[in-house]
Amino acid sequence: MATTVIQARVGSTRLPGKVMYPLDGRPTLEHVVTRVNHADAVTDVVVATSTEPQDAVIEQYASEFGADVIRGSESDVLSRFEQALEQYDPEIVVRVTADCPLVSPQFIDASIRRITESDVEYVSAGLERTFPRGLTCEAFTAESFERVCAKSTEPRHREHVTPYYREHPEEFELSSLESSAVFDEPWLQDRTDLRLTLDEPADYRLLETVYREVEYDGILDVRDAIEYVDENDLGTINQDVEQKALK
């Protein structure tokens, strides 16, 4: 029913090769794939990378991590998602980026559940963020995404996949998930002070420390990760990293 597409490439401008950086001896991309596979509502996991030669390493290893692979245009990322729709014919598509090694399976399931139970077409963490960066995804119906594909003609729409939804809210049934809908614990809610995504060296220092020091079985629980960050004041490591703006 739901296909998760993990967009990944080696050629990051700020931290080249970051999706293959090791965390607890395993590539970042492997952690992302494993975590997505722990979401109950996901039926297929696909890594969508480019046809550029440097991304052959992603194709080589992604299947070993438990994902299918499709390759397409480096700049027209939206076209890779179109390929996934054609190949897997899902009812719901989940978009995950490969620089989120703590993406929450609970958030993925909650976003899919919101679509199936509330008759909405697009779910995200919303314009008013209440989660740490790196825990969330976007989910949308295949039918609505076909409309997005037809109307996404600007290069930035093709590169970033989903801006058209947010720029044209009058055309879709949109819904935002707040942290209180995923986490019961008050100390996990409204944690916009934390960055748990991988964009720059400071982000890697934080994530590498967490994965090295926190014990886990299968996947590292978000609660344990955030608790360790709080107890050891690790949030200061990357607090000055600025999130890259969409162009």
Side-chain angles (χ1 to χ4, degrees), residues 48-241:
T49 191
S50 86
T51 54
E52 294 299 309
Q54 67 265 27
D55 286 328
V57 66
I58 292 176
E59 180 177 27
Q60 178 181 350
Y61 286 104
S63 60
E64 297 181 13
F65 302 157
D68 296 337
V69 181
I70 58 175
R71 300 184 70 176
S73 168
E74 181 178 39
S75 59
D76 187 354
V77 183
L78 188 145
S79 68
R80 297 185 224 160
F81 281 74
E82 290 180 299
Q83 287 179 248
L85 257 68
E86 293 174 2
Q87 185 168 338
Y88 295 91
D89 193 26
E91 296 177 22
I92 297 170
V93 182
V94 178
R95 175 180 178 249
V96 172
T97 56
D99 53 7
C100 296
L102 285 172
V103 63
S104 167
Q106 292 90 349
F107 187 97
I108 294 173
D109 282 332
S111 63
I112 294 171
R113 191 163 54 247
R114 177 69 59 86
I115 290 176
T116 58
E117 296 180 357
S118 302
D119 196 29
V120 299
E121 296 176 301
Y122 170 88
V123 177
S124 71
L127 297 178
E128 296 296 327
R129 189 167 57 89
T130 61
F131 291 89
R133 291 197 184 277
L135 298 193
T136 65
C137 66
E138 296 170 281
F140 38 89
T141 64
E143 188 277 331
S144 69
F145 189 62
E146 289 175 356
R147 285 149 44 208
V148 166
C149 292
K151 296 182 178 182
S152 293
T153 55
E154 298 181 25
R156 63 189 182 84
H157 289 155
R158 308 295 299 186
E159 178 184 358
H160 299 293
V161 184
T162 57
Y164 192 88
Y165 281 107
R166 298 182 296 278
E167 293 172 8
H168 299 274
E170 73 283 355
E171 297 184 24
F172 307 97
E173 293 294 330
L174 308 182
S175 182
S176 298
L177 270 181
E178 296 185 352
S179 53
S180 58
V182 178
F183 300 122
D184 294 329
E185 302 90 335
W187 61 275
L188 288 171
Q189 299 171 11
D190 299 313
R191 294 304 306 271
T192 58
D193 57 309
L194 295 181
R195 281 182 57 85
L196 300 175
T197 187
L198 180 57
D199 282 325
E200 295 196 358
D203 297 325
Y204 181 64
R205 288 198 295 274
L206 185 153
L207 290 165
E208 192 278 330
T209 301
V210 169
Y211 265 97
R212 173 166 34 89
E213 298 296 336
V214 181
E215 294 185 5
Y216 62 96
D217 182 22
I219 63 172
L220 199 163
D221 192 285
V222 167
R223 293 166 176 81
D224 294 338
I226 293 178
E227 184 177 32
Y228 185 83
V229 169
D230 287 346
E231 290 177 349
N232 294 275
D233 199 26
L234 296 186
T236 58
I237 293 176
N238 62 350
Q239 64 181 4
D240 295 327
V241 175

